[in-house]
């Protein structure tokens, strides 16, 4: 699931809402490393039409939305990072990628 965070909320709440899963299942996805976050959506590969996305950042202190980062910071802003803490607060306008059914190594299926 690729989503744009639309309201300031915890990562667990955003994952549960955008992926339409229970909060318990969302918590397990964090443990598996299946949730990723970036300040803006990454650039799609050549030949793929980009999805509409308005990369803005929200300043919690002033309550204002800011324009997209300058071109030199665009690459850094679109770099995704794994989210480990389900209680981390995500800001509106940022990018969230959720692997609802993550691939796992073969031995993990023998334990389930």
């Amino acid at each position: 699931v690729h989503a744009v965070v639309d309201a300031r909320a915890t990562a667990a709440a955003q994952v549960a809402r955008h992926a339409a899963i229970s909060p318990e299942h969302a918590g397990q996805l964090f443990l598996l490393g299946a949730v990723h976050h970036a300040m803006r959506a990454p650039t799609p590969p050549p030949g793929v039409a980009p999805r509409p996305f308005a990369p803005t950042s929200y300043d919690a202190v002033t309550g204002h939305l800011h324009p997209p980062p300058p071109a030199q910071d665009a690459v850094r802003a679109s770099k995704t990072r794994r989210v480990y803490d389900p209680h981390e607060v995500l800001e509106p306008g940022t990018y969230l990628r959720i692997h609802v059914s993550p691939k796992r190594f073969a031995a993990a299926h023998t334990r389930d």
Side-chain angles (χ1 to χ4, degrees):
V1 175
H2 298 267
V4 176
V5 177
D6 54 359
R8 188 172 203 262
T10 63
Q14 291 288 339
V15 168
R17 190 168 62 76
H18 286 290
I21 57 176
S22 69
E24 294 80 21
H25 187 203
Q28 291 174 353
L29 292 178
F30 287 96
L31 295 174
L32 292 172
V35 180
H36 302 268
H37 179 256
M39 292 307 294
R40 60 178 284 190
T43 306
V48 176
R51 293 182 177 172
F53 183 76
T56 58
S57 60
Y58 178 77
D59 187 345
V61 176
T62 62
H64 294 107
L65 289 174
H66 297 285
Q72 68 269 20
D73 292 337
V75 173
R76 191 173 349 158
S78 65
K79 205 143 207 26
T80 58
R81 64 175 181 81
R82 187 170 286 153
V83 180
Y84 294 103
D85 182 12
H87 303 291
E88 179 179 338
V89 176
L90 303 179
E91 300 297 336
T94 57
Y95 170 76
L96 187 63
R97 184 175 70 221
I98 308 157
H99 298 279
V100 181
S101 300
K103 292 183 180 180
R104 298 166 59 190
F105 55 94
H109 295 290
T110 62
R111 311 252 317 136
D112 287 344

